[in-house]
Amino acid sequence: MTPCPHLLDRIMAVMETAFDPAYGEAWNRRQVADALSMPSTHALVVDADGAIIAGDGTTTRAPAGFVLSRHVLDEEELLLIAVVPGCRRRGVGETLINHLFDAARGRGITRIYLEMRRGNPALHLYRKLGFTPIGERPNYYRMANGERIDAITFGCSI
């Protein structure tokens, strides 16, 4: 299954501005396309007002954020979430995760997991929305300068 190029364009437009290159967290177009080619992977893109943008190219609204997830049975993993810098701290991230919760419930999902690097400023958002730490991977991520950072795994029942 080939993902819609308009959806990829919108995700990549956010990706290119949302991630600090020092952490190496951004995915390239091929990685996103490969993930979206799997039927268990899902993407949501929203505008600055938090409204979902269709991936079919029928809208001219600018993407402000996206979430990428995949499910297995009754569990889902939030793979990647990003908000363009000019739309941060305006509720876009919270709206994205709430849209994810709604869509996941519709797929029969009861629990969502995510992993983040220690020190990620999104921690407060995740905790606010019910995610709790369930594990840690010491020195898991490697920054561009070679420094290692722990990964923290979170879970949330929905």
Side-chain angles (χ1 to χ4, degrees), residues 102-123:
D102 291 343
R105 281 187 203 101
R107 291 188 283 276
I109 302 302
T110 59
R111 191 138 172 92
I112 296 183
Y113 297 92
L114 66 85
E115 183 178 274
M116 62 165 241
R117 66 175 156 78
R118 184 176 301 285
N120 185 324
L123 174 62

Side-chain angles (χ1 to χ4, degrees), residues 73-92:
L73 301 174
D74 65 344
E75 297 180 342
E76 190 139 346
E77 180 183 8
L78 191 164
L79 299 170
L80 208 54
I81 183 170
V83 175
V84 297
C87 292
R88 291 182 183 157
R89 303 204 182 282
R90 294 183 14 202
V92 174

Side-chain angles (χ1 to χ4, degrees), residues 7-56:
L7 178 61
L8 275 172
D9 290 345
R10 290 187 171 101
I11 290 171
M12 295 313 296
V14 173
M15 188 90 65
E16 290 165 3
T17 64
F19 291 98
D20 183 338
Y23 295 104
E25 296 164 319
W27 290 16
N28 63 42
R29 187 177 183 90
R30 176 63 186 252
Q31 289 170 306
V32 176
D34 287 350
L36 288 174
S37 69
M38 295 183 280
S40 61
T41 302
H42 313 281
L44 288 167
V45 179
V46 298
D47 65 15
D49 295 324
I52 295 174
I53 298 175
D56 59 8

